[in-house]
Amino acid sequence: MAIVIKTEEDIQKMRVAGRLAAEVLEIIAPFVKPGVNTAELDRICHDHIVNAQQAIPACLNYHGFPKSVCISVNDVICHGIPSEEKILKDGDIVNIDVTVIKEGFHGDTSKMFIVGKPTIQGERLCRITQESLYLAIKMVKPGIRLRELGKAIQKFVEGHDYSVVREYCGHGIGEGFHEEPQVLHYDADDSGVVLQKGMAFTIEPMVNTGDYRIRTMKDGWTVKTKDRGWSAQYEHTLVVTDDGCEIMTLRKEEEPFISAVLVNA
């Protein structure tokens, strides 16, 4: 499958979908607190996407996934299924992964939330993971090899004594949820892909406190760390521009920091 170069019309629609996805993470923040169950968080996200945004939650029924967002807690790396049994407690770290479809285009993003009083380990893991994402975003521009992003993420993460998950990666995005190219978060063959203006993709490093290896639960979706260490992930959808990139899923809380990052690129 070839990499789809987005038109200006495509990019405008992706801006809308991306802003809506970011908005879901903004509105859910006050509800992520001790005592809430993850099914309730999913319900709030679903209602906002469907009723307030008049959009479609892309995860719902995608290859059979039963909920509207993925919610992954502590040692869950990704694809956590929200449930009434999973009740959040002080110190938990929680990834909420949201993909919204609006006018046929996808906006895909995730962030970490720390529940109640943070632990030193949880706070540090989340910070390093977010910084690894920003590091890669700062590098994006026409003419660089895609492989360079994963190489830089891996070096940064392992320099902090963490590991990068190998089995899951970022991906091209647009009218399709998962398009070409695959965006690996470690140094590996990229089939010679060179970034060019109009490419749209996600970067979404998954970082573990211990070993990078995974185990998949019997539900066929929930992916956990093999050694039961904690895992964190941050994700943005972006498009390559003339001299850098535009982040489609930027949240308002990030604007001052990310502006400084990109200005100094």
Side-chain angles (χ1 to χ4, degrees):
M1 187 188 301
I3 298 171
V4 178
I5 301 300
K6 305 304 187 282
T7 66
E8 283 303 317
E9 183 181 357
D10 295 339
I11 291 168
Q12 180 52 38
K13 289 180 178 179
M14 290 189 71
R15 284 190 186 106
V16 173
R19 173 86 284 276
L20 294 179
E23 182 182 274
V24 176
L25 293 178
E26 290 167 347
I27 68 98
I28 198 63
F31 300 96
V32 183
K33 55 189 179 183
V36 72
N37 67 66
T38 55
E40 175 67 6
L41 298 178
D42 176 78
R43 184 191 65 74
I44 295 167
C45 291
H46 176 89
D47 287 351
H48 187 77
I49 295 167
V50 172
N51 298 320
Q53 298 180 339
Q54 301 289 297
I56 299 168
C59 291
L60 185 61
N61 298 320
Y62 182 74
H63 294 306
F65 189 79
K67 297 292 183 178
S68 293
V69 298
C70 299
I71 303 182
S72 304
V73 183
N74 296 342
D75 66 335
V76 178
I77 296 169
C78 61
H79 304 159
I81 300 173
S83 73
E84 292 183 2
E85 288 73 39
K86 186 59 183 178
I87 299 171
L88 300 182
K89 62 184 187 301
D90 256 333
D92 283 345
I93 61 171
V94 182
N95 178 271
I96 300 182
D97 192 342
V98 178
T99 307
V100 170
I101 306 171
K102 186 73 171 182
E103 294 188 24
F105 282 80
H106 293 71
D108 187 3
T109 187
S110 82
K111 68 165 282 190
M112 298 302 297
F113 297 85
I114 299 178
V115 182
K117 184 179 179 182
T119 65
I120 293 171
Q121 171 184 261
E123 199 166 49
R124 181 174 186 269
L125 175 64
C126 292
R127 176 175 57 81
I128 295 301
T129 305
Q130 187 173 37
E131 287 177 3
S132 77
L133 170 60
Y134 290 160
L135 174 77
I137 289 172
K138 184 175 178 178
M139 297 171 63
V140 174
K141 62 182 178 181
I144 80 154
R145 279 281 297 272
L146 181 62
R147 182 174 188 165
E148 292 301 311
L149 305 183
K151 184 177 180 180
I153 290 171
Q154 182 180 13
K155 181 179 179 181
F156 178 77
V157 167
E158 292 181 354
H160 288 86
D161 297 320
Y162 293 145
S163 65
V164 179
V165 172
R166 307 293 202 265
E167 286 82 357
Y168 296 93
C169 60
H171 50 87
I173 189 168
E175 290 184 277
F177 194 164
H178 296 95
E179 300 178 352
E180 293 295 328
Q182 290 193 329
V183 182
L184 304 180
H185 304 116
Y186 61 101
D187 188 22
D189 180 36
D190 61 2
S191 303
V193 175
V194 176
L195 300 186
Q196 58 180 292
K197 182 182 177 182
M199 284 185 179
F201 52 86
T202 70
I203 305 175
E204 47 185 296
M206 303 174 192
V207 176
N208 297 349
T209 56
D211 195 275
Y212 65 81
R213 286 174 293 184
I214 70 168
R215 54 197 174 103
T216 304
M217 301 297 100
K218 290 181 180 178
D219 60 28
W221 283 104
T222 307
V223 178
K224 294 187 175 185
T225 59
K226 190 169 185 180
D227 62 4
R228 294 177 170 78
W230 280 13
S231 187
Q233 179 191 24
Y234 284 84
E235 174 183 16
H236 273 311
T237 295
L238 52 90
V239 65
V240 182
T241 61
D242 284 318
D243 56 359
C245 69
E246 177 182 346
I247 305 169
M248 304 294 196
T249 48
L250 193 66
R251 298 182 303 281
K252 290 183 173 63
E253 71 194 50
E254 295 178 286
E255 288 173 1
F257 180 76
I258 202 70
S259 294
V261 167
L262 296 180
V263 164
N264 294 324

